[in-house]
Amino acid sequence: MLKLNSTMTGLLKKIAFYLILIAIWELAYKLGVDYLRLWKPYVFPSPITVFKTMLDLIADSTLGIAVLASAKRIVIGYAISILIGAIVGFAIVRFKTLDENLSPLILGLQTLPSICWLPFAILWYGLNESAIIFVIAIGSAFAVSIAIESGIKNVNPLYLRAAKTMGAGGLKVYWNVIIPASLPTVVSGLKQGWSFAWRALMAGEMLFATKGLGQVLMVGRDLADISQVVAVMIVIVVLGVTVDKLIFGRIEVNIRRRWGLDRA
């Protein structure tokens, strides 16, 4: 009962916080547009206008179709990036030569904006779904590989010594000690890779996609409809936070409980 009350209290505090933010947003709009006339309504929209625009996008199914199209692309691209990142990360840890020569290169490639890969994607795949998925995969794979490399390298040596003392070796050490101990760092890398995947998705969809949130964002820009642009941005933020809470957040909680780090 106490835990339920605490959860409800926390939820109410979050709702109150965001309501205050919306009120400040509306106040800034009123002062800047209606009273001081510092900017035009099409430069800085009000939350009411954004909400109405979002309802219109939902009513004509534009938003639903865009969300489904973007979700399909990012799920496929992100899954490929995890596979590539895991292979590269384990290879770097396993082979010293790759560690010495490939690690700096991967770190450098991670700093590249995802849009830099679009010319390659268009030349190799053309203007189609495969090009966008390629950009998503390559945009987040490096973050995953770096996280796996860092997580395994930073495993406490005492764990390895204890495992060897108990007779474990080879794959058993990896499966029972190294991988579980590296999971907190790996999950953090997966979350970072997820954010990079979203950026890559938007870069691809804003250039040549016929469906998707990026395309709806570009339509808003072309029509000078700032309320549509902000509405799509809010949807992207909500989707990102939802995935973080429902998937990555639960994984982190389970890991903390497994390692006895969760607060009572």
Side-chain angles (χ1 to χ4, degrees), residues 184-228:
T185 304
V186 172
V187 172
S188 297
L190 291 176
K191 291 174 65 175
Q192 188 178 29
W194 176 254
S195 65
F196 282 127
W198 265 109
R199 296 173 189 176
L201 173 67
M202 291 300 104
E205 288 186 344
M206 288 174 69
L207 284 183
F208 57 82
T210 56
K211 296 178 183 178
L213 291 171
Q215 186 266 340
V216 179
L217 196 67
M218 287 299 293
V219 170
R221 188 207 67 173
D222 294 339
L223 298 177
D225 188 354
I226 190 65
S227 61
Q228 180 166 319

Short mmCIF file of all heavy atoms in Angstrom, two decimals, residues 184-228:
data_model
loop_
_atom_site.label_atom_id
_atom_site.label_comp_id
_atom_site.label_asym_id
_atom_site.label_seq_id
_atom_site.Cartn_x
_atom_site.Cartn_y
_atom_site.Cartn_z
N PRO A 184 25.64 -3.75 -17.18
CA PRO A 184 25.26 -2.35 -16.93
C PRO A 184 25.84 -1.39 -17.96
O PRO A 184 25.14 -0.51 -18.46
CB PRO A 184 25.83 -2.08 -15.53
CG PRO A 184 25.85 -3.43 -14.87
CD PRO A 184 26.20 -4.39 -15.96
N THR A 185 27.11 -1.57 -18.31
CA THR A 185 27.74 -0.71 -19.31
C THR A 185 27.16 -0.97 -20.69
O THR A 185 26.93 -0.04 -21.48
CB THR A 185 29.26 -0.94 -19.34
OG1 THR A 185 29.80 -0.71 -18.04
CG2 THR A 185 29.94 0.00 -20.32
N VAL A 186 26.90 -2.23 -20.99
CA VAL A 186 26.35 -2.59 -22.29
C VAL A 186 24.97 -1.98 -22.48
O VAL A 186 24.64 -1.45 -23.56
CB VAL A 186 26.31 -4.13 -22.46
CG1 VAL A 186 25.54 -4.50 -23.73
CG2 VAL A 186 27.71 -4.70 -22.52
N VAL A 187 24.13 -2.05 -21.45
CA VAL A 187 22.78 -1.49 -21.55
C VAL A 187 22.84 0.03 -21.77
O VAL A 187 22.07 0.59 -22.55
CB VAL A 187 21.96 -1.83 -20.30
CG1 VAL A 187 20.63 -1.08 -20.31
CG2 VAL A 187 21.70 -3.32 -20.23
N SER A 188 23.78 0.69 -21.09
CA SER A 188 23.96 2.13 -21.30
C SER A 188 24.34 2.41 -22.75
O SER A 188 23.86 3.37 -23.36
CB SER A 188 25.03 2.68 -20.36
OG SER A 188 24.64 2.53 -19.01
N GLY A 189 25.20 1.55 -23.31
CA GLY A 189 25.58 1.70 -24.71
C GLY A 189 24.42 1.44 -25.65
O GLY A 189 24.29 2.11 -26.69
N LEU A 190 23.58 0.48 -25.30
CA LEU A 190 22.40 0.21 -26.13
C LEU A 190 21.43 1.40 -26.12
O LEU A 190 20.83 1.73 -27.16
CB LEU A 190 21.68 -1.04 -25.61
CG LEU A 190 22.41 -2.37 -25.81
CD1 LEU A 190 21.62 -3.51 -25.16
CD2 LEU A 190 22.62 -2.67 -27.29
N LYS A 191 21.30 2.05 -24.98
CA LYS A 191 20.46 3.24 -24.91
C LYS A 191 21.03 4.36 -25.77
O LYS A 191 20.30 5.05 -26.48
CB LYS A 191 20.34 3.71 -23.46
CG LYS A 191 19.53 2.78 -22.58
CD LYS A 191 19.55 3.22 -21.13
CE LYS A 191 18.88 4.53 -20.92
NZ LYS A 191 18.81 4.90 -19.48
N GLN A 192 22.34 4.51 -25.72
CA GLN A 192 22.98 5.53 -26.55
C GLN A 192 22.82 5.19 -28.03
O GLN A 192 22.55 6.07 -28.86
CB GLN A 192 24.46 5.64 -26.19
CG GLN A 192 25.16 6.81 -26.87
CD GLN A 192 26.62 6.91 -26.46
OE1 GLN A 192 27.25 5.93 -26.14
NE2 GLN A 192 27.15 8.12 -26.48
N GLY A 193 22.97 3.91 -28.35
CA GLY A 193 22.77 3.47 -29.73
C GLY A 193 21.36 3.73 -30.20
O GLY A 193 21.13 4.07 -31.36
N TRP A 194 20.38 3.56 -29.30
CA TRP A 194 18.98 3.82 -29.64
C TRP A 194 18.78 5.29 -30.01
O TRP A 194 18.07 5.61 -30.96
CB TRP A 194 18.09 3.42 -28.47
CG TRP A 194 16.64 3.73 -28.64
CD1 TRP A 194 15.95 4.73 -28.02
CD2 TRP A 194 15.69 3.04 -29.47
NE1 TRP A 194 14.63 4.70 -28.41
CE2 TRP A 194 14.45 3.68 -29.30
CE3 TRP A 194 15.79 1.95 -30.34
CZ2 TRP A 194 13.31 3.26 -29.97
CZ3 TRP A 194 14.65 1.54 -31.00
CH2 TRP A 194 13.43 2.19 -30.82
N SER A 195 19.40 6.18 -29.24
CA SER A 195 19.27 7.61 -29.54
C SER A 195 19.94 7.95 -30.87
O SER A 195 19.41 8.74 -31.68
CB SER A 195 19.89 8.46 -28.42
OG SER A 195 21.29 8.24 -28.33
N PHE A 196 21.10 7.34 -31.15
CA PHE A 196 21.75 7.55 -32.44
C PHE A 196 20.90 7.00 -33.58
O PHE A 196 20.86 7.57 -34.67
CB PHE A 196 23.13 6.88 -32.46
CG PHE A 196 24.19 7.65 -31.74
CD1 PHE A 196 24.96 7.05 -30.76
CD2 PHE A 196 24.43 8.98 -32.04
CE1 PHE A 196 25.94 7.75 -30.08
CE2 PHE A 196 25.40 9.70 -31.37
CZ PHE A 196 26.17 9.09 -30.39
N ALA A 197 20.21 5.89 -33.33
CA ALA A 197 19.34 5.31 -34.36
C ALA A 197 18.20 6.26 -34.71
O ALA A 197 17.84 6.40 -35.88
CB ALA A 197 18.80 3.97 -33.86
N TRP A 198 17.63 6.91 -33.72
CA TRP A 198 16.55 7.87 -33.98
C TRP A 198 17.06 9.04 -34.81
O TRP A 198 16.38 9.50 -35.73
CB TRP A 198 15.97 8.39 -32.67
CG TRP A 198 14.78 7.63 -32.21
CD1 TRP A 198 14.70 6.77 -31.15
CD2 TRP A 198 13.47 7.63 -32.79
NE1 TRP A 198 13.43 6.24 -31.05
CE2 TRP A 198 12.65 6.76 -32.04
CE3 TRP A 198 12.91 8.30 -33.88
CZ2 TRP A 198 11.32 6.54 -32.34
CZ3 TRP A 198 11.57 8.08 -34.19
CH2 TRP A 198 10.79 7.21 -33.42
N ARG A 199 18.25 9.53 -34.48
CA ARG A 199 18.81 10.65 -35.26
C ARG A 199 19.05 10.24 -36.70
O ARG A 199 18.78 11.01 -37.63
CB ARG A 199 20.11 11.13 -34.61
CG ARG A 199 19.93 11.69 -33.21
CD ARG A 199 21.25 11.99 -32.55
NE ARG A 199 21.08 12.34 -31.15
CZ ARG A 199 22.08 12.59 -30.32
NH1 ARG A 199 23.33 12.51 -30.75
NH2 ARG A 199 21.84 12.89 -29.06
N ALA A 200 19.59 9.05 -36.87
CA ALA A 200 19.83 8.56 -38.22
C ALA A 200 18.52 8.38 -38.99
O ALA A 200 18.43 8.69 -40.18
CB ALA A 200 20.59 7.23 -38.16
N LEU A 201 17.50 7.87 -38.30
CA LEU A 201 16.20 7.69 -38.93
C LEU A 201 15.63 9.01 -39.42
O LEU A 201 15.15 9.12 -40.56
CB LEU A 201 15.23 7.05 -37.93
CG LEU A 201 13.78 6.93 -38.38
CD1 LEU A 201 13.65 5.95 -39.53
CD2 LEU A 201 12.89 6.52 -37.22
N MET A 202 15.69 10.03 -38.59
CA MET A 202 15.17 11.34 -38.98
C MET A 202 15.96 11.92 -40.15
O MET A 202 15.39 12.51 -41.08
CB MET A 202 15.23 12.32 -37.80
CG MET A 202 14.26 12.00 -36.67
SD MET A 202 12.52 12.01 -37.21
CE MET A 202 12.19 10.25 -37.30
N ALA A 203 17.28 11.74 -40.15
CA ALA A 203 18.11 12.24 -41.25
C ALA A 203 17.72 11.59 -42.56
O ALA A 203 17.61 12.26 -43.60
CB ALA A 203 19.59 11.98 -40.95
N GLY A 204 17.49 10.27 -42.54
CA GLY A 204 17.11 9.57 -43.75
C GLY A 204 15.71 9.93 -44.22
O GLY A 204 15.49 10.19 -45.41
N GLU A 205 14.76 9.98 -43.29
CA GLU A 205 13.37 10.24 -43.68
C GLU A 205 13.17 11.67 -44.14
O GLU A 205 12.31 11.94 -44.98
CB GLU A 205 12.44 9.94 -42.50
CG GLU A 205 12.28 8.45 -42.21
CD GLU A 205 11.26 8.17 -41.14
OE1 GLU A 205 10.87 9.12 -40.40
OE2 GLU A 205 10.84 7.02 -41.01
N MET A 206 13.94 12.60 -43.61
CA MET A 206 13.77 14.00 -43.99
C MET A 206 14.26 14.26 -45.41
O MET A 206 13.91 15.28 -46.01
CB MET A 206 14.49 14.91 -42.99
CG MET A 206 13.80 14.99 -41.64
SD MET A 206 14.74 15.93 -40.42
CE MET A 206 14.60 17.58 -41.09
N LEU A 207 15.08 13.37 -45.94
CA LEU A 207 15.63 13.59 -47.28
C LEU A 207 14.81 12.95 -48.38
O LEU A 207 14.55 13.56 -49.41
CB LEU A 207 17.08 13.09 -47.35
CG LEU A 207 18.12 13.99 -46.68
CD1 LEU A 207 19.51 13.43 -46.89
CD2 LEU A 207 18.07 15.40 -47.26
N PHE A 208 14.40 11.68 -48.18
CA PHE A 208 13.74 11.04 -49.32
C PHE A 208 12.64 10.06 -48.95
O PHE A 208 12.13 9.36 -49.83
CB PHE A 208 14.78 10.32 -50.20
CG PHE A 208 15.61 9.30 -49.49
CD1 PHE A 208 15.14 8.01 -49.27
CD2 PHE A 208 16.87 9.61 -49.04
CE1 PHE A 208 15.92 7.08 -48.63
CE2 PHE A 208 17.66 8.68 -48.40
CZ PHE A 208 17.19 7.41 -48.19
N ALA A 209 12.21 9.97 -47.72
CA ALA A 209 11.15 9.02 -47.37
C ALA A 209 9.78 9.58 -47.79
O ALA A 209 9.54 10.79 -47.75
CB ALA A 209 11.16 8.74 -45.88
N THR A 210 8.89 8.70 -48.20
CA THR A 210 7.52 9.10 -48.55
C THR A 210 6.58 8.97 -47.36
O THR A 210 5.51 9.57 -47.36
CB THR A 210 6.98 8.24 -49.71
OG1 THR A 210 7.06 6.86 -49.35
CG2 THR A 210 7.81 8.47 -50.96
N LYS A 211 6.96 8.18 -46.37
CA LYS A 211 6.19 8.02 -45.15
C LYS A 211 7.14 8.05 -43.97
O LYS A 211 8.30 7.64 -44.08
CB LYS A 211 5.42 6.70 -45.15
CG LYS A 211 4.36 6.57 -46.23
CD LYS A 211 3.71 5.20 -46.16
CE LYS A 211 2.69 5.02 -47.28
NZ LYS A 211 2.08 3.66 -47.24
N GLY A 212 6.66 8.50 -42.85
CA GLY A 212 7.48 8.51 -41.65
C GLY A 212 7.42 9.85 -40.94
O GLY A 212 6.97 10.87 -41.49
N LEU A 213 7.88 9.86 -39.70
CA LEU A 213 7.85 11.08 -38.90
C LEU A 213 8.76 12.16 -39.49
O LEU A 213 8.44 13.35 -39.42
CB LEU A 213 8.28 10.76 -37.47
CG LEU A 213 7.29 9.92 -36.66
CD1 LEU A 213 7.91 9.47 -35.35
CD2 LEU A 213 6.00 10.68 -36.41
N GLY A 214 9.89 11.76 -40.04
CA GLY A 214 10.79 12.72 -40.66
C GLY A 214 10.14 13.42 -41.85
O GLY A 214 10.31 14.63 -42.05
N GLN A 215 9.37 12.67 -42.62
CA GLN A 215 8.68 13.23 -43.77
C GLN A 215 7.60 14.22 -43.33
O GLN A 215 7.44 15.30 -43.92
CB GLN A 215 8.08 12.11 -44.61
CG GLN A 215 7.46 12.55 -45.92
CD GLN A 215 5.97 12.83 -45.82
OE1 GLN A 215 5.30 12.35 -44.90
NE2 GLN A 215 5.44 13.59 -46.77
N VAL A 216 6.86 13.88 -42.27
CA VAL A 216 5.85 14.80 -41.73
C VAL A 216 6.52 16.06 -41.19
O VAL A 216 5.99 17.17 -41.33
CB VAL A 216 5.02 14.11 -40.63
CG1 VAL A 216 3.99 15.06 -40.05
CG2 VAL A 216 4.32 12.87 -41.18
N LEU A 217 7.68 15.89 -40.60
CA LEU A 217 8.45 17.03 -40.10
C LEU A 217 8.83 17.95 -41.25
O LEU A 217 8.73 19.18 -41.14
CB LEU A 217 9.69 16.52 -39.38
CG LEU A 217 10.44 17.50 -38.47
CD1 LEU A 217 9.60 17.86 -37.25
CD2 LEU A 217 11.76 16.87 -38.02
N MET A 218 9.27 17.38 -42.37
CA MET A 218 9.68 18.17 -43.52
C MET A 218 8.49 18.89 -44.16
O MET A 218 8.61 20.02 -44.64
CB MET A 218 10.37 17.28 -44.55
CG MET A 218 11.75 16.83 -44.14
SD MET A 218 12.89 18.21 -43.92
CE MET A 218 13.02 18.80 -45.60
N VAL A 219 7.33 18.22 -44.18
CA VAL A 219 6.13 18.87 -44.72
C VAL A 219 5.79 20.11 -43.90
O VAL A 219 5.45 21.17 -44.44
CB VAL A 219 4.94 17.88 -44.74
CG1 VAL A 219 3.65 18.61 -45.06
CG2 VAL A 219 5.19 16.77 -45.76
N GLY A 220 5.90 19.98 -42.57
CA GLY A 220 5.66 21.13 -41.71
C GLY A 220 6.63 22.26 -41.99
O GLY A 220 6.25 23.43 -42.01
N ARG A 221 7.88 21.91 -42.24
CA ARG A 221 8.87 22.95 -42.56
C ARG A 221 8.57 23.61 -43.89
O ARG A 221 8.63 24.84 -44.03
CB ARG A 221 10.27 22.33 -42.60
CG ARG A 221 11.39 23.35 -42.73
CD ARG A 221 12.61 22.78 -43.40
NE ARG A 221 12.36 22.46 -44.81
CZ ARG A 221 13.30 22.07 -45.66
NH1 ARG A 221 14.56 21.95 -45.25
NH2 ARG A 221 13.01 21.80 -46.92
N ASP A 222 8.25 22.80 -44.92
CA ASP A 222 7.98 23.34 -46.25
C ASP A 222 6.75 24.24 -46.26
O ASP A 222 6.69 25.20 -47.04
CB ASP A 222 7.79 22.19 -47.25
CG ASP A 222 9.07 21.39 -47.45
OD1 ASP A 222 10.15 21.93 -47.16
OD2 ASP A 222 8.97 20.22 -47.87
N LEU A 223 5.77 23.91 -45.41
CA LEU A 223 4.55 24.72 -45.35
C LEU A 223 4.66 25.85 -44.32
O LEU A 223 3.68 26.57 -44.09
CB LEU A 223 3.35 23.83 -44.99
CG LEU A 223 3.01 22.73 -45.99
CD1 LEU A 223 1.86 21.88 -45.47
CD2 LEU A 223 2.65 23.32 -47.35
N ALA A 224 5.83 25.98 -43.71
CA ALA A 224 6.04 26.98 -42.65
C ALA A 224 5.05 26.80 -41.51
O ALA A 224 4.61 27.78 -40.88
CB ALA A 224 5.96 28.40 -43.22
N ASP A 225 4.70 25.55 -41.24
CA ASP A 225 3.75 25.22 -40.16
C ASP A 225 4.57 24.77 -38.94
O ASP A 225 4.82 23.59 -38.74
CB ASP A 225 2.80 24.12 -40.63
CG ASP A 225 1.68 23.86 -39.63
OD1 ASP A 225 1.72 24.46 -38.53
OD2 ASP A 225 0.78 23.06 -39.95
N ILE A 226 4.97 25.73 -38.13
CA ILE A 226 5.84 25.43 -37.00
C ILE A 226 5.13 24.57 -35.96
O ILE A 226 5.77 23.79 -35.24
CB ILE A 226 6.36 26.74 -36.35
CG1 ILE A 226 7.47 26.45 -35.34
CG2 ILE A 226 5.23 27.50 -35.71
CD1 ILE A 226 8.72 25.87 -35.96
N SER A 227 3.81 24.69 -35.87
CA SER A 227 3.07 23.87 -34.92
C SER A 227 3.15 22.39 -35.29
O SER A 227 3.23 21.53 -34.40
CB SER A 227 1.61 24.31 -34.86
OG SER A 227 0.98 24.17 -36.12
N GLN A 228 3.16 22.07 -36.57
CA GLN A 228 3.30 20.67 -37.00
C GLN A 228 4.70 20.17 -36.71
O GLN A 228 4.88 19.03 -36.29
CB GLN A 228 3.01 20.54 -38.50
CG GLN A 228 3.15 19.11 -39.03
CD GLN A 228 2.54 18.94 -40.41
OE1 GLN A 228 1.48 19.47 -40.69
NE2 GLN A 228 3.22 18.21 -41.28
#
